[in-house]
Amino acid sequence: MMRLLPQSLFSRMVLILLGGLILVQSISVVFHLRERDRLLFHSNSMESAQRIADAIRMLNSLASADRQKFVTALNSPTLLVSLGVIPSSQALQNPEAHDQADSFRMMLGDLLGGTPPIEVVASDPEWRLGQLSANTPGLARNTFPQKKNAFTVETRLQDGTVVSFDVFPSDETFPLPRRLLLNLQILLAAVIILSLLAVRLATRPLNTLASAAEKLGKDINSPPLIETGPTEVRRAAHAFNTMQSRLVNYIQDRTRILAAMSHDLKTPITRLRLRAELLEDDDHRIRFVKDLEEMEFMVTATLDFMRGVDNPEPVQPMDIMALLESLQADAAEIGQQVCLDGVAARPYPCKPAAMKRCLGNLIDNAVKYGKNATITVDDHHKQLQIHILDNGQGIPEAELERVFEPFYRLESSRSRDTGGTGLGLGIARNIAQMHGGDLLLRNRPCGGLEAILTLPRRS
């Protein structure tokens, strides 16, 4: 059921409002038609009742010999008058027809003042016409069109003569007036337009907030939201701006602390290097220098990782193919094997230094742990994908996400002898997410690891 619903909040609200509106309008039209039919029946019944009341008065005033001529002149397709006893009619088993018969009897009673006693029965029109044809000479059955319902009224004249009136209401249907249909269409169109406008106004702040959150993930220093609009919108914008301000302060404080630590550590590391050079034992000196270089590298890498989301570098179009070819040439100079395939259709807007570091880390990992790297560029209208493949041992499936955690290393598949701090992949993913993309790892079926860098293309 959920799959049939629209995905956006705007579409769902429009569907609910329009669905409810159409349902309410349909129910309203049904009630209107029922009320109109009731009023039309009442109007037609009043006309027939008036004719019967006038006919009874006229028959009471005529002599017996003249009554049949009057009855013959009075008959019509909607009213048949019969003098004398006609066999009883077959009553309809329809509660609504019986209610209409009771209402018709009350109308006649009001017009005749309650006398003489009147009996009204909702009869089957086909049955009744058959009885009348059999008992009334000269009555042609085919002169009366087919009817859906009929009323049989029986009473007695002042001299005791039985007279019956068979009323066949018209089955003519009356279409809705054009003015009413036009009014309904105008009302429906106006409500739809107002509903769309109301839903758009209600969902626009959510779209703005979502866009601001997406920009915040790419640039922590993006401009704050404008705190205008209804109270709820202003509160949401203010809360978002407060959160952004706290995040900025937290990252800046963290970066300043790490920068100070890095600066303070460099002085004792430098002194230790000078003292290591004074060691007479070459083996010990080499080990000391190596440890000090590793310490300095870890401090620098840690600082770069912490600064990853607070990179002030401006965004500018960059030739991705030129960057990859440059990295390929750098790797070839030190004897590393890197192959490049594919082409980027157009420059990609990014932070050049950050993107170079992201791709450099991925290529270094592929060469370091897989002996070689194959780069495939797949450029589409909506996204740019860069695949970096190696022929190494791969990574256990359960560890494919953990390797992005800071300082996390795989002791079983990644040898300590290769060096590294466990920050390269984390830095690369931070840079990818800073550009609105992502970095994923997956094992190749034929062996080795594939890093997939996905960067969105924006119109």
Side-chain angles (χ1 to χ4, degrees), residues 307-326:
R307 285 176 172 170
V309 294
D310 193 28
N311 191 342
E313 185 183 7
V315 175
Q316 57 187 13
M318 185 176 188
D319 188 343
I320 294 294
M321 296 305 300
L323 173 60
L324 291 173
E325 290 170 358
S326 173

Side-chain angles (χ1 to χ4, degrees), residues 370-383:
K371 307 307 179 184
N372 56 60
T374 300
I375 306 172
T376 303
V377 180
D378 192 6
D379 197 358
H380 296 283
H381 176 68
K382 293 185 177 181
Q383 65 182 19

Side-chain angles (χ1 to χ4, degrees), residues 229-244:
T231 302
E232 294 80 4
V233 175
R234 292 199 305 271
R235 288 181 59 190
H238 179 73
F240 184 88
N241 292 336
T242 302
M243 177 193 69
Q244 181 179 0

Side-chain angles (χ1 to χ4, degrees), residues 125-198:
E126 294 297 324
W127 178 275
R128 185 61 178 173
L129 285 173
Q131 291 178 323
L132 293 173
S133 300
N135 291 273
T136 305
L139 179 63
R141 168 66 183 87
N142 56 7
T143 59
F144 295 90
Q146 187 175 0
K147 300 292 183 178
K148 294 181 180 179
N149 51 22
F151 298 111
T152 300
V153 180
E154 292 186 356
T155 186
R156 290 182 179 273
L157 300 178
Q158 292 177 352
D159 59 0
T161 303
V162 177
V163 60
S164 62
F165 300 87
D166 288 282
V167 182
F168 301 95
S170 175
D171 294 334
E172 182 182 0
T173 58
F174 297 91
L176 288 174
R178 293 184 178 180
R179 180 174 296 181
L180 176 60
L181 292 175
L182 180 61
N183 290 339
L184 288 175
Q185 292 175 356
I186 294 175
L187 177 62
L188 184 61
V191 174
I192 290 175
I193 293 174
L194 291 176
S195 299
L196 293 176
L197 179 61

Side-chain angles (χ1 to χ4, degrees), residues 204-213 215 222-242 244:
R204 181 181 296 173
L206 294 178
N207 293 331
T208 303
L209 190 62
S211 299
K215 292 180 181 177
S222 59
L225 290 176
I226 301 175
E227 299 179 15
T228 59
T231 302
E232 294 80 4
V233 175
R234 292 199 305 271
R235 288 181 59 190
H238 179 73
F240 184 88
N241 292 336
T242 302
Q244 181 179 0

Side-chain angles (χ1 to χ4, degrees), residues 56-171:
I56 291 174
R57 296 189 185 99
M58 181 62 69
L59 289 173
N60 281 326
S61 64
L62 294 175
S64 299
D66 298 327
R67 287 175 179 171
Q68 187 59 47
K69 296 180 180 179
F70 176 75
V71 165
T72 302
L74 191 62
N75 286 340
S76 69
T78 59
L79 178 65
L80 285 178
V81 185
S82 303
L83 295 174
V85 179
I86 302 295
S88 59
S89 301
Q90 181 177 352
L92 292 177
Q93 302 300 322
N94 186 344
E96 182 179 359
H98 289 296
D99 292 341
Q100 292 176 348
D102 292 339
S103 176
F104 195 70
R105 181 173 60 252
M106 293 176 62
M107 293 180 190
L108 282 173
D110 292 339
L111 292 173
L112 296 173
T115 56
I118 297 175
E119 181 181 356
V120 180
V121 178
S123 57
D124 184 340
E126 294 297 324
W127 178 275
R128 185 61 178 173
L129 285 173
Q131 291 178 323
L132 293 173
S133 300
N135 291 273
T136 305
L139 179 63
R141 168 66 183 87
N142 56 7
T143 59
F144 295 90
Q146 187 175 0
K147 300 292 183 178
K148 294 181 180 179
N149 51 22
F151 298 111
T152 300
V153 180
E154 292 186 356
T155 186
R156 290 182 179 273
L157 300 178
Q158 292 177 352
D159 59 0
T161 303
V162 177
V163 60
S164 62
F165 300 87
D166 288 282
V167 182
F168 301 95
S170 175
D171 294 334

Side-chain angles (χ1 to χ4, degrees), residues 229-279:
T231 302
E232 294 80 4
V233 175
R234 292 199 305 271
R235 288 181 59 190
H238 179 73
F240 184 88
N241 292 336
T242 302
M243 177 193 69
Q244 181 179 0
S245 177
R246 291 174 179 173
L247 286 174
V248 170
N249 292 335
Y250 170 72
I251 293 174
Q252 289 178 348
D253 291 342
R254 186 182 62 171
T255 304
R256 281 195 294 268
I257 292 173
L258 289 170
M261 291 175 59
S262 175
H263 180 270
D264 293 341
L265 283 173
K266 285 181 180 180
T267 300
I269 290 175
T270 303
R271 288 201 301 265
L272 288 173
R273 274 186 174 182
L274 292 175
R275 292 173 183 175
E277 294 296 333
L278 299 177
L279 293 175

